[in-house]
């Protein structure tokens, strides 16, 4: 009965989307911390943009995970741990982080000098919460380590794509679609629901992202990547998980040396996907 997985995925996507939209509307009226200016930043065009999309995705995915039917208690707990840990620590970095140290190398170098950056706190914290989430759904220490690395690595990698409008959400779609397809093909409702839930929450706010009114920030991107990492951990066998983890590690390492934006701009297919739905690069601020 393939419809079980389909209905689970539909429920996850719908609830994630509805809760994220409701949270965004609520947060734009009354931000979760401070006022609207607390969450305002300047985007790549030098224009003001809000980071409230991120907390809305976190809240939407968390609420949806708490109420969506069909998830075992341990899986539900893992989702809430992953989204709260990655989203909460990402929000901390969004609000209080300094930009003097960037990437693993930058934060570790600062730590070696005795400087504890907000980024280092976030990386270590997401590692701990990722392991805790993985422990709820894994069998044995090896699986827990691999799955925890997937959750934490996914959180960090998704954040590396949040440099242009809609890019992190599109990357999440490209990563989540195969996981969703596997869950649907096998008719396994839990993996299908887990893959659909963060996608629904993020896609619901894609118009604000592409319209350059809001961005995921660390909170939203970390949460999206962590939940996709968790979905991979419950969907794939060990060889598949190791392959995904190797890809995550390789891309993360490459980001220390290579600009993803430059690579994407230089590849016609990737650039076309990246620009889909976005304002033209040369478009003036008033011509929206």
């Amino acid at each position: 009965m393939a419809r079980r997985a389909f209905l689970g995925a539909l429920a996850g996507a719908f609830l994630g989307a509805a809760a994220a939209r409701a949270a965004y509307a609520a947060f734009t009226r009354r931000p979760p911390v401070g006022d609207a200016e607390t969450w305002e930043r300047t985007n790549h065009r030098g224009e003001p943009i809000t980071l409230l999309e991120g907390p809305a995705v976190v809240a939407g995915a968390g609420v949806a995970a708490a109420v969506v039917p069909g998830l075992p208690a341990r899986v539900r707990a893992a989702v809430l741990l992953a989204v709260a840990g990655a989203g909460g620590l990402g929000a901390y970095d969004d609000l209080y982080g300094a930009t003097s140290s960037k990437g693993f190398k930058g934060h570790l170098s600062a730590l070696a000098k005795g400087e504890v950056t907000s980024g280092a706190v976030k990386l270590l914290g997401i590692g701990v919460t990722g392991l805790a989430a993985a422990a709820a759904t894994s069998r044995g220490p090896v699986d827990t380590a691999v799955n925890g690395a997937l959750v934490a690595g996914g959180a960090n990698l998704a954040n590396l794509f949040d440099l242009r409008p809609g890019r992190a959400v599109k990357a999440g779609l490209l990563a989540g679609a195969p996981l969703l397809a596997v869950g649907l093909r096998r008719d396994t409702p839990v993996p299908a629901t887990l893959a659909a839930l963060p996608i629904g929450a993020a896609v619901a706010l894609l118009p604000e992202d592409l319209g350059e009114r809001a961005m995921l920030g660390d909170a939203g991107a970390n949460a999206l990547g962590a939940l996709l990492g968790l979905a991979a951990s419950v969907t794939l066998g060990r060889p598949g998980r190791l392959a995904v983890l190797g890809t995550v590690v390789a891309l993360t390492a490459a980001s220390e040396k290579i600009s993803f934006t430059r690579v994407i701009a230089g590849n016609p297919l990737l650039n076309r996907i990246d620009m889909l739905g976005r304002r033209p690069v040369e478009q003036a601020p008033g011509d929206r």
Side-chain angles (χ1 to χ4, degrees), residues 61-140:
V63 168
V67 302
V68 69
L71 290 184
R74 60 186 176 80
V75 176
R76 205 179 301 273
V79 175
L80 293 174
L81 269 171
V83 73
L89 288 160
Y92 163 74
D93 203 24
D94 279 333
L95 295 180
Y96 307 111
T99 57
S100 55
S101 299
K102 294 183 178 181
F104 274 112
K105 185 177 179 181
H107 294 304
L108 293 177
S109 296
L111 199 59
K113 297 174 184 176
E115 179 188 352
V116 180
T117 65
S118 60
V121 171
K122 184 184 74 168
L123 290 173
L124 293 173
I126 290 178
V128 171
T129 56
L131 279 173
T137 58
S138 304
R139 297 180 180 179

